Amino acid sequence: MFKHKDYIYMVYKMKSFSKAAETLYISQPALSAIIKKVEKEIGIQIFNRSTNPITLTKEGEFYIKSIEEIMEIEKNTIKHFENLKTENNLNIASSSFFCVYILPFFIENFSKTYPSTTIKLMENTSEVLFKNLETEKIDLGIDIADNCPSNLFSIDWYDEEILLAVPSNFKINKKIKDFQIDFSLIKSGKFLDKIYPTVDLKLFSDENFILLGKGHDLNEKSIKMCESSGFSPKVVMYADQLLTSYYMSKLGKGISFVRDGIPKYEEKTDKLIFYKIDSPLAKRKVKLFYKKENSSSTLKNFINFLLSEKC
């Protein structure tokens, strides 16, 4: 009954025997003969040939609906077997910070429990990450984006704090010694305790800043935090990566906004002094993003592993 469904569906889509025949690379008489044979076998007329363009009969509408259901089943079946082939493969994307400092540790430990899993790790900006998730080039994205596309799921992984990294040779540091946060407190996470005060960004209104480029979440947040303190930051440099701005601050080029995870994983330095920022925008969530249709057990296992481990 559905042996020649592709031919019939093409006529339906093109609303023309001649156009469908041209698309299918067969002659129009041959295509017409095939469809007449099918109509004779099932005892109904699929197309109303008296209209221009041709239309479906009432019985033809039911037949086309059945074809579409079969095509959907075929599509899902192919996708299922393709997923089985790649069940033990996992493609993950995130920023350079996560790729360098965070994920290698988790991947190494995850592989001890699931040694047959092959994990590919790549660096993506937020924009590229979401495109790659939607086109299924990656299975999991890790980012701090607030807006999640409607066809993706997001899960909060952990909270992070944005700190101010000020070159130690800046004179402003001598005036606000009571607000300085020791490197060891950041590494241990104790700096989050309320006994350690936050600093008003307005105190740095005359200083040079290094910001991430436009399009980065932290670029927008940095500017908003400064503006809410009554000034626009004097930007001497824009960086593509957070680690770049951190290292440039170490060289004394300007103040940068950095995630608390960088000092946790970097070696202690006396070239920078850190401050907690008095702004609700200094807090944000790290999230896991994946496509709703992704039913990979390997992906689920890895997500559960991340959620169960302390970052």
Side-chain angles (χ1 to χ4, degrees):
M1 180 179 289
F2 296 105
K3 181 179 179 181
H4 300 291
K5 68 179 187 304
D6 293 337
Y7 291 143
I8 296 171
Y9 197 73
M10 185 59 71
V11 174
Y12 158 69
K13 294 292 287 185
M14 304 299 293
K15 294 181 172 56
S16 166
F17 280 92
S18 59
K19 291 180 180 179
E22 184 179 347
T23 304
L24 294 165
Y25 297 102
I26 63 173
S27 67
Q28 182 176 335
L31 179 59
S32 296
I34 290 171
I35 292 177
K36 284 181 180 179
K37 183 180 179 181
V38 173
E39 289 177 325
K40 184 178 180 181
E41 287 177 353
I42 60 180
I44 59 106
Q45 186 175 329
I46 299 171
F47 295 104
N48 184 351
R49 294 165 175 79
S50 64
T51 61
N52 187 18
I54 62 171
T55 57
L56 293 170
T57 63
K58 185 176 180 180
E59 294 80 5
E61 290 177 359
F62 183 85
Y63 188 86
I64 290 297
K65 183 180 178 182
S66 298
I67 287 178
E68 290 177 335
E69 290 175 355
I70 292 171
M71 292 169 70
E72 184 65 20
I73 291 172
E74 289 177 341
K75 176 185 173 182
N76 291 335
T77 302
I78 291 171
K79 187 173 182 178
H80 173 76
F81 288 120
E82 285 179 346
N83 288 339
L84 287 179
K85 292 178 184 177
T86 59
E87 183 65 33
N88 290 327
N89 296 333
L90 193 61
N91 296 320
I92 305 172
S94 190
S95 66
S96 60
F97 168 75
F98 288 99
C99 291
V100 172
Y101 293 107
I102 306 292
L103 290 172
F105 166 79
F106 286 99
I107 290 172
E108 180 182 7
N109 287 337
F110 180 79
S111 297
K112 292 176 181 178
T113 305
Y114 301 94
S116 62
T117 300
T118 300
I119 297 178
K120 182 179 180 182
L121 185 59
M122 59 196 83
E123 293 184 17
N124 278 178
T125 61
S126 297
E127 183 180 3
V128 174
L129 182 147
F130 286 133
K131 286 182 179 178
N132 285 340
L133 279 171
E134 291 171 355
T135 57
E136 300 182 3
K137 290 182 179 179
I138 61 173
D139 303 294
L140 180 67
I142 300 175
D143 202 86
I144 42 72
D146 291 325
N147 299 322
C148 179
S150 59
N151 62 337
L152 299 179
F153 276 128
S154 72
I155 300 175
D156 292 346
W157 186 15
Y158 68 91
D159 297 327
E160 72 172 11
E161 190 95 4
I162 302 302
L163 300 174
L164 207 62
V166 182
S168 55
N169 61 353
F170 276 29
K171 293 180 180 179
I172 183 66
N173 293 310
K174 295 180 180 179
K175 300 178 182 179
I176 50 175
K177 288 184 178 181
D178 292 341
F179 294 92
Q180 296 175 8
I181 304 297
D182 188 82
F183 208 91
S184 61
L185 293 174
I186 302 173
K187 279 188 173 293
S188 66
K190 293 180 179 179
F191 77 99
L192 293 170
D193 196 302
K194 292 182 179 180
I195 64 172
Y196 300 105
T198 57
V199 68
D200 187 346
L201 283 176
K202 193 173 184 178
L203 295 169
F204 303 92
S205 59
D206 295 327
E207 306 297 334
N208 293 333
F209 281 82
I210 300 172
L211 299 185
L212 292 184
K214 292 181 179 180
H216 288 274
D217 174 80
L218 193 50
N219 170 279
E220 297 176 12
K221 277 187 167 57
S222 300
I223 293 173
K224 286 180 180 178
M225 284 190 282
C226 291
E227 289 179 344
S228 65
S229 293
F231 74 100
S232 294
K234 184 167 62 175
V235 183
V236 295
M237 185 181 301
Y238 288 98
D240 287 332
Q241 298 289 343
L242 198 57
L243 289 172
T244 303
S245 65
Y246 178 80
Y247 292 136
M248 295 307 294
S249 289
K250 281 181 71 173
L251 293 174
K253 302 299 182 182
I255 298 170
S256 61
F257 293 86
V258 299
R259 58 193 346 149
D260 61 347
I262 292 180
K264 286 181 182 178
Y265 291 94
E266 280 283 318
E267 292 183 3
K268 184 176 181 179
T269 177
D270 58 1
K271 295 181 179 180
L272 288 173
I273 294 176
F274 298 93
Y275 298 90
K276 288 171 65 177
I277 304 170
D278 183 17
S279 171
L281 292 175
K283 303 179 187 297
R284 60 184 187 175
K285 292 185 180 295
V286 177
K287 301 178 182 180
L288 310 177
F289 295 91
Y290 62 98
K291 200 166 185 179
K292 291 180 179 179
E293 294 83 1
N294 195 328
S295 59
S296 166
S297 60
T298 301
L299 172 62
K300 292 178 181 178
N301 289 336
F302 190 74
I303 290 175
N304 289 333
F305 179 78
L306 292 180
L307 296 176
S308 66
E309 295 290 320
K310 186 177 180 181
C311 185

